[in-house]
Amino acid sequence: MAMFKQYIIVSPGQDIQCKEETLSKAIADLPPKGVLIKVHSSGVCHTDLHQWLEGGFRLSDSEYLLFASREGMGYPKVPGHEISGTVYKFGPDVREDESSLSKGDSVIVYPWIACGDCRYCERGNNDHCTGGKSQEIGMNINGGYSEFVIVPHYRYAVPLPSAISIDMGSVLGCSSLTVYNAVKTGLAELPEAGDWRSDDQFHVAVVGLGGLGSWAVSFIPLLFKPAIKPNVAITGIDINESKLSTFVDEGLIQNSFHLSTLKPPQEQASMCRDKISTKGYQIIFDFVNNPLTFDVSIRLLGNHGVLVSVGLFGGTGNVQLPLLSLGRKKIIGIHTGSYNLFKEMLEFLASNIDNIKTPTLSVYPLADCMKALRDVKEGKISGRAILKVNNET
């Protein structure tokens, strides 16, 4: 009897456990229009850490948004929402001519399915779902820390562009999509290009140069309007001085500021403005989003500026409300992106791959998922960590 391995979070704070499942059961459990994917690689996301360690997102020192309080997101659960692999088996109602996919085709899984049936989901705008019951692979559907994963509908197994490696494909369904959405949304909120003089310096800050920030510093120059692009100056802000130096040396950022956990936000914002010689940033992307980074970012924001709040490290932030109103500043929250945007991003990546500095991948065997999670937690990863599940695919 063919078996496969799954790595399961039984309860928050406990070590992940390996369990064997029968392949015949996975095939029998396939939804009518579903597809069974043989997992090649699975990204290790910070959300996996929240699932494993805390069981939710920290809202304040005493308050959490618990996964178990949301429908279907309790435990035990197989984590992993960033997945690449190959088509293994279609559900019983998928006609041979219905899908462009065939067995063995390389795919990337789009995990944020939502209800999948309402008018928004049917049009690919899953982030506007009104159907009520959400489906999220790795969250309330067993995910990619497994040798096989069930995708509820074959449309969410998206063909892997030939220009993108299958390992890199495993980090696109969350981190890359989230950054693409953040940059496009943030730039759409800025004044029209004609409102900027040709000699204006356009200051952009990227807070957190990890797995998300490393995508952002490549996406920003490519997505800016041509009239602004020549004068864009990116400041990287991070607590890791070595990482900042590497990004400067590689020409990915023009300025850097070392963030300290020991100095108050107001002092650090003033120090950063003095170092960069700016009164404020036109747009800031906070890919950490904890109390320190938020408080520094909101103080760095210039008049008419946009703060794009992305990270889920958690906590509360302080806003000086009169300055928000008087400066006509905007704060926008971003979380992943729609199915349509995911397909658009894949086309963008494939056509610009030679101009994009993709994150360094630290590769671990699936059996070492606990080590990978601990290394991410301890900040040992430069770029992204992935689990190599099936080497032969």
Side-chain angles (χ1 to χ4, degrees):
M1 182 180 296
M3 308 290 288
F4 69 95
K5 293 178 180 178
Q6 298 177 319
Y7 286 79
I8 299 172
I9 301 175
V10 177
S11 181
Q14 295 185 13
D15 282 1
I16 292 177
Q17 297 181 11
C18 178
K19 174 188 174 184
E20 289 199 334
E21 183 62 88
T22 61
L23 188 54
S24 59
K25 182 179 186 306
I27 293 172
D29 289 344
L30 268 174
K33 296 287 187 179
V35 61
L36 184 65
I37 301 299
K38 187 176 185 180
V39 179
H40 180 278
S41 302
S42 184
V44 180
C45 179
H46 270 277
T47 296
D48 302 347
L49 279 182
H50 292 293
Q51 283 181 293
W52 166 49
L53 286 177
E54 303 165 311
F57 298 117
R58 184 169 64 90
L59 301 178
S60 68
D61 290 340
S62 60
E63 191 177 5
Y64 278 81
L65 176 62
L66 296 175
F67 295 125
S69 67
R70 303 166 67 188
E71 185 177 1
M73 289 193 181
Y75 298 88
K77 188 68 61 186
V78 178
H81 52 271
E82 298 182 300
I83 303 164
S84 64
T86 54
V87 173
Y88 186 81
K89 180 80 173 177
F90 287 102
D93 289 358
V94 181
R95 302 188 309 272
E96 193 170 318
D97 61 346
E98 187 174 352
S99 170
S100 63
L101 296 171
S102 301
K103 183 174 180 178
D105 284 354
S106 296
V107 296
I108 307 170
V109 173
Y110 175 78
W112 318 110
I113 297 167
C115 81
D117 295 322
C118 73
R119 57 179 179 167
Y120 293 105
C121 289
E122 287 181 348
R123 294 170 184 168
N125 298 316
N126 308 60
D127 51 345
H128 289 81
C129 175
T130 58
K133 185 177 181 180
S134 180
Q135 302 174 87
E136 297 181 354
I137 295 172
M139 303 300 293
N140 60 4
I141 298 173
N142 282 337
Y145 286 32
S146 173
E147 293 176 329
F148 288 88
V149 66
I150 292 174
V151 178
H153 196 288
Y154 66 82
R155 76 164 72 99
Y156 301 114
V158 182
L160 176 74
S162 59
I164 301 172
S165 73
I166 195 166
D167 280 340
M168 188 58 65
S170 69
V171 300
L172 303 184
C174 180
S175 68
S176 179
L177 173 60
T178 298
V179 175
Y180 187 75
N181 189 11
V183 174
K184 287 202 70 175
T185 302
L187 294 183
E189 294 293 329
L190 293 172
E192 290 299 317
D195 293 336
W196 301 97
R197 299 196 312 268
S198 61
D199 59 346
D200 278 340
Q201 187 82 69
F202 198 99
H203 287 287
V204 181
V206 173
V207 183
L209 296 177
L212 299 182
S214 55
W215 283 115
V217 296
S218 287
F219 285 0
I220 289 167
L222 293 170
L223 291 171
F224 259 100
K225 295 175 181 177
I228 302 176
K229 192 180 299 185
N231 299 319
V232 170
I234 301 175
T235 299
I237 300 176
D238 202 283
I239 61 172
N240 187 319
E241 286 188 279
S242 175
K243 188 182 294 183
L244 288 167
S245 296
T246 299
F247 274 66
V248 171
D249 292 343
E250 293 181 355
L252 296 170
I253 58 176
Q254 288 69 54
N255 305 299
S256 66
F257 181 75
H258 177 230
L259 196 64
S260 170
T261 58
L262 303 177
K263 297 177 181 177
Q266 186 172 0
E267 179 183 345
Q268 295 199 73
S270 178
M271 290 169 61
C272 182
R273 282 194 299 270
D274 289 345
K275 180 181 179 182
I276 311 303
S277 299
T278 178
K279 293 181 180 180
Y281 285 83
Q282 281 90 349
I283 187 165
I284 299 174
F285 299 95
D286 185 355
F287 294 111
V288 181
N289 210 25
N290 65 17
L292 173 61
T293 61
F294 180 85
D295 288 356
V296 170
S297 295
I298 199 67
R299 287 171 166 82
L300 284 175
L301 202 62
N303 289 343
H304 301 279
V306 179
L307 171 57
V308 184
S309 180
V310 183
L312 290 168
F313 275 70
T316 59
N318 296 306
V319 179
Q320 296 167 312
L321 295 174
L323 297 182
L324 188 69
S325 300
L326 293 171
R328 281 83 77 195
K329 303 174 184 181
K330 298 179 182 178
I331 303 174
I332 301 173
I334 292 292
H335 179 59
T336 66
S338 70
Y339 174 69
N340 285 340
L341 194 69
F342 179 59
K343 293 194 295 181
E344 176 187 310
M345 180 210 65
L346 290 181
E347 292 181 9
F348 167 81
L349 274 177
S351 60
N352 290 283
I353 196 67
D354 292 336
N355 298 313
I356 292 174
K357 172 72 173 177
T358 55
T360 301
L361 299 180
S362 297
V363 182
Y364 298 77
L366 176 60
D368 287 348
C369 59
M370 286 297 305
K371 175 172 171 48
L373 284 165
R374 290 191 176 103
D375 285 352
V376 171
K377 177 179 180 291
E378 294 168 10
K380 294 180 178 179
I381 305 299
S382 176
R384 291 299 314 275
I386 67 169
L387 304 174
K388 184 65 74 70
V389 180
N390 285 296
N391 289 317
E392 68 273 18
T393 56

